[in-house]
Amino acid sequence: MLFLLAILVGVLYGAAVYLLLRRNIFKLVLGLIFLGHATNLLLFVAGGLTSGFPAFLRNVPGETERMADPLPQALILTAIVIGLGVTAFALVLVYRFYSVTKTVDLDELSENE
Amino acid sequence: MLVLPILLPLFFMVVLIFTRRWLAFQQIFSLLATVILTFFSAMLLIDVQQNGIATMQVGSWIAPYGITLVADLLSAIMLVTVAFIGVVIMIYSPGFIDKGRQSAGYYPLAFGLLMGVNGAFITGDIFNLYVWYEVMLTSSFVLIALGGSAEQLRGSIKYVTINFVASIFFVAAIGILYGLTGTLNMADLAYKLRTIDHIPYINSALMLFFIAFSIKSALFPFFFWLPASYHTPPIPITALFAGTLTKVGIYTMFRFYSLFIVENLVFWKTFIIVIAGLTMTIGVLMAASQYDIRKILSFHIISQVGYMVMGLGIFTVGGIAGAIYFTIHNMLSKTNTFLAGGLVYQRSGSYDLKHLGGLYKASPLLALLFFIPAMSLAGIPPLPGFFGKFFLIKGGFEAGDYVITGVAILVGLFTLFSMVKIWNEAYWKKEPENIKHGRVSRRAIAATSLLALAVILLGLFAGPVSQITLEAANQVVFPEMYINAVLGR
């Protein structure tokens, strides 16, 4: 499981970087989304995987060993929400850029015209 | 008390969101609000100076389990400076920004930005720090795009992308660090790093942090986004960014270096000093080749950030104290030069030095208002830039870092060169024939004068201020006080 997730994180990062380097501006935003998800997964893996146990239990003595660490999950939740907000903003921004300049080419970002 | 620098801007922001239609109210309320914020920040500074580091455990969850708020002298100094810059910007903005942008949410967003900045200064929890960074960045994303001109949109896309990537580095580092140590509380992390003998892979997390913050504070080689985006929004927004955002990155670097760098000290010191030298040199050289006032000043931000990082690299009490003094000076002087540039724009309708001229003859007051912060940046006594560089260079010589100190002196000369370039072109050169004669807003002049006065006072009271920065540096160089204050030992 750990091995698979590690590879998945790597693939997501690779795809994100590939998309970020495209010239199409919508692919740039897709790249940002991938980057965000890759990092969320990284947080999840780095926080330590405990398979089969819930993050919260009733207050039973000796139960703490059978509990997954809730903190990384809380962190990821926060990161997902923040990522969602930023992505929404980036999409609107890119759309505005498209409607003003009628182009999706990143080369249009240079100011030499 | 400690929570006020976060709660007050939040409250002001909410009030401003609901009163968006009443522009006159917004203008007065924002000014009042920043004055109140400055007052409470100053109270906090006095409190911290007299009673030592202030801490607060949010929700009474004791450290390291809950989120801790901490203010040491460095945080308090930064809070006061940022709040004061807020006051100046709020006086300036109504006289410069068009009504459309003002009623489109400029004021609430500015307070969102201030809340994020203040939060980043006083949080003692590493993930909470990330959240405050995002609060600050999201506000700045909207501020930089506010109005939506094509030029602004171009700048915003670059700005949003690079900052998003930097945040990703930041979160990834937090995740790895948490996996390695099992804690997010900064003091507890520092304690663990000092007591556990060696934590494997810790350097990769620290390096990721370093990359994240060097993107955010525009260090070499990650500075290119700053001059590509900062000049696009109206100048009060640029000035607000210049005075606050990159400095939050610098502040965080100081905090992290002080708390978390316990191994490989020789490597980190050399690394940071080399980066500092390259940052200041390349920034100043690129500034020399520009002709847009805003671009020259943007490249200067980079160069000056190099000085602050140089102080960090030296890492003696003298060096850090110099860097803190330099940071205060830079926040004030830099904002001031941008605001003075805005006055030039209102007067002559351009930022391009090729289309400017004759302002010294036409309007000596404008010339003076630029001259003060520009000479301060160049390091002419008795202005604070001189003392800032003097403390840094003195610290550098005392620590025996001769090469970087030599570079710093040389870069100072180039800074003088490009300030003189603006001066010659915009103020001294003969007035071009078809120049516009615009009206300069009184509010804008008042704000710029107030800031120029603050710059002069910072220079005149360099003695007492440097006493405080020395104490602050002491807390940075010896983080045991910070750790003990948070963990309650």
Side-chain angles (χ1 to χ4, degrees), chain B residues 187-199 259 262-263 483 487 489:
Chain B
D188 192 39
L189 264 169
Y191 177 74
K192 283 198 169 150
L193 288 172
R194 278 169 178 71
T195 44
I196 300 172
D197 197 25
H198 172 76
I199 301 171
L259 289 175
V262 285
E263 282 179 41
I483 298 171
L487 297 180
R489 268 189 271 270

Side-chain angles (χ1 to χ4, degrees), chain A residues 32 39 43 46 69 108-109 111, chain B residues 154 158 164 168 175 178-179:
Chain A
L32 292 181
T39 308
L43 278 185
D69 186 353
E108 291 295 312
L109 284 184
E111 297 145 46
Chain B
R154 284 199 184 96
K158 296 171 200 166
F164 189 86
I168 290 298
Y178 178 73

